[in-house]
Amino acid sequence: MKSEVEQGRYDRKKTESIFQHTLKWPESREPYRKMYLLKAIKSIIRFLVRIILRILPFPIILALVKDSPRLSFYIPSNRNVIFEKYLGDIKVKINTCYRGEREMLSGYYEPLTLSLIDRFVKKGDICIDIGANVGAITFALAKKVGRDGKIFAFEPAGFLFKRLNENINLNPELKRIIYPFKLGISDKEGILYFAEDEQNPGNVVNIEFLGVKKYKSEPVTVTTIDKFFQGEPPKQINFVKIDVECMEYEVIKGGLITWRKYLPI
């Protein structure tokens, strides 16, 4: 039997040995060490960027974001501003709590989507924006189609529809182009319940996909594209954008007659 003193010395040496062993990375694990070190450096840089953006005057922040759009994701989430240079000359209300609106402060939103609009949408076109949110893509479509075009913008969530209208009112010249509707679009008429996605604030999702109780949600009237255009069909539909958080299939299914008739992009 070891004495308590001997046992203590043994335990201390064993602990020291284990500690030293953990500090010595085998050569085979060297790439992992570099990877962890790089991740740590990136985390520190992100932390410093957030701190700096918290203390800078907002006009300077906007100038930085315009030159480096990725910085928009680090803007403090406690600002409400009217940004007057979205897509060049469009005024929009921005709440920096929402990631998508922070991106709009760069002057653009989803460059790939904007490039598709620039390529396929023409002056005088009639377009549909299903899931318009606060109008980031709606305004891009409106600028492209011009005075002779028309945009049908559908947004089911009450708080987002209100802000969409506020943004439209900030740009009176677009009122005759954009026609907003507080409606959900699906594959049948009825009532669905929507709630804000806590993991992605500023976006609403059918509660069936969230597992949220009805009392925490908003009842929304939904229809189909075929039903909506049944009474007064437009002369053409050239382009359709759909962003409806897991309900794209239902939207497409509810508009098959319309899609076959107009063959929009």
Side-chain angles (χ1 to χ4, degrees), residues 86 90-95 98-104 109 129-140 153-171 174 178 180 201-204 241 243:
Y86 179 61
I90 292 179
K91 298 177 182 179
V92 289
K93 286 187 174 181
I94 298 292
N95 184 333
Y98 303 124
R99 180 173 178 173
E101 294 183 40
R102 291 200 301 271
E103 184 179 348
M104 291 170 69
Y109 180 79
D129 186 356
I130 303 174
N133 204 279
V134 299
I137 300 301
T138 308
F139 291 123
F154 297 95
E155 175 51 52
F159 77 102
L160 292 174
F161 183 75
K162 177 184 177 182
R163 299 183 62 224
L164 171 63
N165 273 302
E166 289 174 346
N167 285 336
I168 294 172
N169 289 332
L170 287 174
N171 303 273
L174 298 181
I178 301 173
N203 288 275
V204 294
K241 167 258 180 182
D243 184 0

Side-chain angles (χ1 to χ4, degrees), residues 25 30-44:
W25 288 71
E30 188 62 23
Y32 295 102
R33 182 181 182 182
K34 292 180 179 178
M35 181 181 70
Y36 291 135
L37 181 60
L38 184 60
K39 288 177 67 175
I41 292 173
K42 286 182 177 179
S43 296
I44 293 172

